Structure formats: C-alpha cells, structure tokens
Amino acid sequence: MLKMNESNYRSGFIAIVGAPNVGKSTLLNQILGQKVSIISKKPQTTRNRVSGIYHQPDCQMIFLDTPGIHKSNRLLNRRMVEIAFATVSDVDILMVVIDTANPDEVSEKLLFDQLKSHQNPTILALNKIDCMQKEDLLPMIQSYAIKYPFKAIVPVSAKTGEQVDRLLNEMKAFLPKGPVYYPDDHITDLPERFIASEIIREKIFQLTNKEIPYAVAVTIEQFKEASDGRIIYINGVIHVERNSQKGIIIGKQGAMLKRIGSRARKEIERMLGVQVMLKLFVKVQKNWASDEKALASFGYE
Ligand code: GDP
Ligand code: MG
C-alpha cells in the first residue's frame, strides 16, 4: 500500500450552515454516501450538531451539520441557532448552503452579518439546481458574489449529487495541512444511540403535522445487545409537551406509534446491520421546549 507523505496530508473541520430546509443535511448525507443526518420536508429537523467524516487518500474533511439559522423567540429554537453559530466559530472552512428555489432573505442577512466577524474561507453551495432553470443560474451567482466575499460559488443538487464533486474539490483547496483525525472506516463520531434517537425523531417529522414534530424530543433509555450479538433491544422515549400531543403520537389504537416504530426499526436495523427490537414510550413533559433543564437533559446544550 502506498504510504501517504504525512507532510502533504490535509485535514480540517467544515461547518455546513444556512437557513432551515435548504438541504444541508441532504448534502452531508450525499457527500458521505450514507445517512448521518436526518431529513424532512419540514424546517428545523436538525437540532444538534451532527458530524460526518469524508475520506480521500490525501485528505480528510470533518463536516459539521448545524441547525438552520433563523429568527425565533422559542427557547429551543434560540438554542438551535446558538448551536449553529457556536459551530461556525471553530472550524477551518464554512460551507454556506442556499436553496435556489426558495431563497430566504431574512435568514441570509442574519447569517451574512454573523459571518462577517469570521475570517474563515467561506464557500457557497447554491443547492436544488435540479429544480431551477439553468439560465437563471448565472444572474444568481453574480448576485451572491456581491453579497459576501465567497472563495467559490458552486451550484449543486444535494438530491441528485450533481456537482457535489466540484464542491468537494473547491473545499479541498482550502483545507489546512493536518493530521489524520479519524481512521478511514469512520463515517461519523456520533454514537449509534444518538443516531437511533434521531431516526425515531425523523419518522415523527415525516408522519405527523402542525406543531407535533416541534413538540417532540426523543431519548434512548435502553440500548442493549443480546449476549450472542444477534439482536439489539432499544427502548425509546418520545417526550411531548401536552396530553393532546401524546394522543396524536399514539394514534387510534396505537396505530401512529406502530407506524413510527416500524419505520424507525427498519432503518435502525439497516444502520446497525442486526435485528432490532424497538419499544417506544410516550411521556408528557410539560413545556420542555421552554425549560432550560429539560433542554439540557435532552442534549440541546
Ligand atoms: P436542512 O434543513 O437544510 O438540513 O434541509 P434537509 O436536508 O432536511 O432538506 C429539506 C428538504 O429539501 C427535504 O425535503 C429534502 O429532500 C429537500 N432537498 C434537499 N436537497 C435537495 C435538492 O438538491 N433538490 C431537491 N429537489 N430537493 C432537495
Ligand atoms: Mg438539517
């Protein structure tokens, strides 16, 4: 095997930032070829910092997916935006993602103002080009080139993967020389337990409406492997804010909870590569999204 010349190896941390729903998590999963960050049509699906590691023989990029930058008075949402900005401050490269089909000027302004205080090289991904007319692209690139001193502007489709290679190449140019932070079979440094709780949350986002997805936090109370290693027993708790929400999550004769559980179980099984016994419980924890202590205990710190 060819041994890399250590002194030429490049590695660094890249934060993925942008408004809610622009496709940040989809882009990260596309880069990795595997799901580490959950996705839904609804904004604010990603709540915590999520990381994914992309390997090449001569470099390593550690991506940090972040919650969307947006204005809100709700404590949980403010916490999410704080998490996003805190991530921005200690990385080597910033990747800003914008939805070309639906640019959000308010969030963009909030983001660009904040970025001005950082010196990190910043690359812009104009996402969802599969949804746009090609002739609209050039004027859009020009308009963003004036808004912020981006090192590069790359139109991509996170969904189809179009131009994602080019985006990676642009970023590679700005990676500092650095160590091999992770072995090359590491795709993420998130614990499987956390990913399991996020998969359950994703199914709730996909299957429920209105305020329900935003009223939910998921914790894992048990994650236990059978002694022969062939089954993993997982107990998940879905925390909601009110009794009425508990009723909706459970559904008629438990039908909704069954659907959430069976979709989540299949996906967790695919991730872990073993059979999973998943039990879900629903607990009411009044106004957890406005409660500092509850937020901390659910991992939003
Ligand atoms: P995030 O909030 O920025 O992390 O956005 P997500 O990755 O959760 O994606 C939000 C929605 O946009 C989902 O329904 C995705 O399937 C969709 N989406 C993301 N990237 C693309 C893309 O390149 N093209 C299209 N058509 N849809 C996309
Ligand atoms: Mg996301």
Side-chain angles (χ1 to χ4, degrees), residues 2 8 22 27 34 52 106 113 154 178 229 244 267 290:
L2 188 79
N8 285 331
V22 296
L27 187 54
Q34 189 179 315
V106 177
D113 286 348
V154 186
S244 59
E267 191 164 331
S290 323

Coordinates of all heavy atoms in Angstrom, one line a residue, residues 2 8 22 27 34 52 106 113 154 178 229 244 267 290:
L2 N 0.4 2.2 -0.8 CA 1.2 3.5 -0.8 C 1.0 4.2 0.5 O -0.1 4.4 1.0 CB 0.6 4.3 -2.0 CG 1.3 5.6 -2.3 CD1 2.6 5.2 -3.2 CD2 0.4 6.5 -3.1
N8 N 2.1 16.1 3.3 CA 1.2 16.6 2.3 C -0.3 16.4 2.7 O -1.2 16.8 2.0 CB 1.5 16.0 1.0 CG 2.7 16.6 0.3 OD1 3.0 17.8 0.6 ND2 3.4 15.8 -0.4
V22 N -32.8 24.2 3.5 CA -32.1 24.5 2.3 C -31.5 23.2 1.7 O -31.0 23.2 0.6 CB -31.1 25.6 2.4 CG1 -31.7 26.9 2.7 CG2 -30.0 25.2 3.4
L27 N -27.2 17.3 1.8 CA -25.9 17.5 1.2 C -24.8 16.7 1.9 O -24.0 16.0 1.3 CB -25.5 19.0 1.1 CG -24.3 19.4 0.4 CD1 -24.3 18.9 -1.0 CD2 -24.1 20.9 0.4
Q34 N -24.1 8.1 2.8 CA -24.7 7.4 3.9 C -25.4 8.4 4.8 O -25.0 9.5 4.9 CB -23.6 6.7 4.8 CG -24.2 5.7 5.8 CD -23.0 5.1 6.6 OE1 -22.1 4.6 6.0 NE2 -23.2 5.0 7.9
G52 N -20.0 14.3 10.1 CA -19.7 13.2 9.2 C -18.3 13.4 8.6 O -17.9 14.5 8.4
V106 N -34.3 36.9 4.9 CA -34.2 37.3 6.3 C -33.1 36.4 7.0 O -32.2 37.0 7.6 CB -35.5 37.1 7.1 CG1 -35.4 37.4 8.6 CG2 -36.6 38.0 6.5
D113 N -24.4 38.7 8.2 CA -23.9 39.6 9.2 C -23.0 38.9 10.2 O -22.0 39.5 10.6 CB -25.1 40.3 9.9 CG -25.8 41.3 9.1 OD1 -25.2 41.6 8.0 OD2 -26.9 41.7 9.4
V154 N -20.6 27.4 -5.9 CA -20.8 26.2 -6.7 C -22.3 25.8 -6.7 O -22.9 25.5 -5.6 CB -20.0 25.0 -6.1 CG1 -20.1 23.8 -7.0 CG2 -18.5 25.4 -5.9
G178 N -2.8 18.9 8.0 CA -3.2 18.5 9.3 C -3.1 17.0 9.5 O -2.8 16.3 8.5
G229 N -25.1 -11.2 20.4 CA -24.8 -10.1 19.4 C -25.8 -10.1 18.3 O -25.6 -9.3 17.3
S244 N -52.7 16.2 24.8 CA -53.3 16.0 23.5 C -52.3 15.5 22.5 O -52.6 14.8 21.6 CB -53.9 17.4 23.1 OG -52.8 18.3 23.0
E267 N -35.1 1.2 9.7 CA -33.9 2.0 9.3 C -32.8 1.8 10.3 O -31.6 1.7 9.9 CB -34.3 3.4 9.2 CG -33.2 4.2 8.6 CD -33.5 5.6 8.1 OE1 -34.7 5.8 7.8 OE2 -32.6 6.4 8.1
S290 N -39.4 25.0 26.5 CA -39.1 26.3 27.1 C -38.4 26.1 28.4 O -38.2 27.1 29.2 CB -40.4 27.1 27.4 OG -41.3 26.8 26.4

